Amino acid sequence: KNQVEQSPQSLIILEGKNCTLQCNYTVSPFSNLRWYKQDTGRGPVSLTIMTFSENTKSNGRYTATLDADTKQSSLHITASQLSDSASYICVVSYYTGNQFYFGTGTSLTVIP
Amino acid sequence: DGGITQSPKYLFRKEGQNVTLSCEQNLNHDAMYWYRQDPGQGLRLIYYSQIVNDFQKGDIAEGYSVSREKKESFPLTVTSAQKNPTAFYLCASSIPGQAYEQYFGPGTRLTVT
């Protein structure tokens, strides 16, 4: 069964600290893996997208890694800011490109 | 939120009434999707459309209906047959094919009492 699991479910960190969110998936074969940021009550916004041949992608303070062999991805946030408080969702696309499997997200709270 | 708009942002309805949620995109994307988001759960696919005048049921289509008469528009009707309609609804669009990401609208929060 194709699944995407994220951990931790929730995380609280101090402003300025780094953190790493995890995504494990069983979707196979897969086309690409994306990380989204979703503010409360808003639609998800794309942070990074990686194909199966890429193993790292950065977007400012956000860096995503992908290990296609172990089917694991991580999202590293550097020097966190209060505005980073949001839910972070991992999405894996099936090889057809039109089937998407969503994780339940990690809720990040950054406190001053 | 890209080039996708959803309206209204908040919607309240009485039980037993049908309600239609609007989704419009100006990205010239062929594919459009409707998802439902509930607390503690991942997004679940309701319906999707790859091309005008064609759409497919997703994982939780019961109690919902859609139409795709124009490329830019993909309205979702929540019917009285949907047993638990209160949720956050998200519309998305994409270019069909590999490595193309989905762009999401801002969402509509529907409350049925």
Side-chain angles (χ1 to χ4, degrees):
Chain A
K1 184 179 178 183
N2 290 319
Q3 287 184 313
V4 177
E5 295 184 352
Q6 294 186 242
S7 63
Q9 187 174 4
S10 61
L11 183 62
I12 301 173
I13 62 172
L14 289 173
E15 185 179 12
K17 298 295 185 182
N18 303 336
C19 67
T20 300
L21 314 180
Q22 299 290 341
C23 173
N24 296 337
Y25 62 93
T26 59
V27 180
S28 183
F30 86 102
S31 168
N32 60 76
L33 185 148
R34 290 165 282 140
W35 283 93
Y36 284 90
K37 177 186 179 187
Q38 184 179 23
D39 293 315
T40 301
R42 305 291 298 272
V45 175
S46 179
L47 294 175
T48 63
I49 178 169
M50 291 182 289
T51 64
F52 62 88
S53 61
E54 298 176 295
N55 53 28
T56 187
K57 185 70 70 76
S58 291
N59 178 3
R61 295 180 297 103
Y62 301 100
T63 299
T65 63
L66 173 63
D67 186 333
D69 292 332
T70 62
K71 295 185 171 55
Q72 295 180 324
S73 177
S74 65
L75 180 69
H76 186 74
I77 304 175
T78 305
S80 60
Q81 301 176 358
L82 298 178
S83 59
D84 291 332
S85 296
S87 181
Y88 292 83
I89 301 172
C90 175
V91 184
V92 181
S93 301
Y94 194 52
Y95 79 101
T96 56
N98 278 319
Q99 287 176 268
F100 306 99
Y101 297 89
F102 291 81
T104 56
T106 292
S107 177
L108 175 65
T109 303
V110 181
I111 59 176
Chain B
D1 299 339
I4 301 180
T5 58
Q6 291 184 243
S7 61
K9 187 167 179 63
Y10 299 98
L11 193 53
F12 298 88
R13 279 295 183 270
K14 294 287 188 183
E15 193 173 324
Q17 293 179 332
N18 292 353
V19 59
T20 298
L21 282 59
S22 169
C23 177
E24 304 277 333
Q25 55 100 358
N26 61 6
L27 300 169
N28 201 34
H29 287 170
D30 287 311
M32 296 186 74
Y33 311 80
W34 273 106
Y35 293 94
R36 171 184 172 135
Q37 188 175 36
D38 295 285
Q41 296 192 41
L43 273 67
R44 292 184 290 169
L45 182 64
I46 304 173
Y47 268 97
Y48 66 98
S49 169
Q50 305 270 50
I51 197 169
V52 174
N53 292 324
D54 184 59
F55 47 83
Q56 308 294 329
K57 292 182 178 180
D59 301 320
I60 56 167
E62 185 175 351
Y64 300 97
S65 66
V66 294
S67 63
R68 187 84 187 278
E69 297 177 0
K70 298 186 300 181
K71 188 175 186 177
E72 305 79 24
S73 179
F74 191 40
L76 173 74
T77 297
V78 184
T79 75
S80 57
Q82 167 51 231
K83 298 189 186 314
N84 187 18
T86 295
F88 189 55
Y89 290 88
L90 285 162
C91 179
S93 71
S94 73
I95 302 172
Q98 294 188 6
Y100 288 107
E101 62 180 286
Q102 288 179 307
Y103 295 84
F104 285 88
T108 292
R109 183 164 300 281
L110 173 65
T111 302
V112 177
T113 58

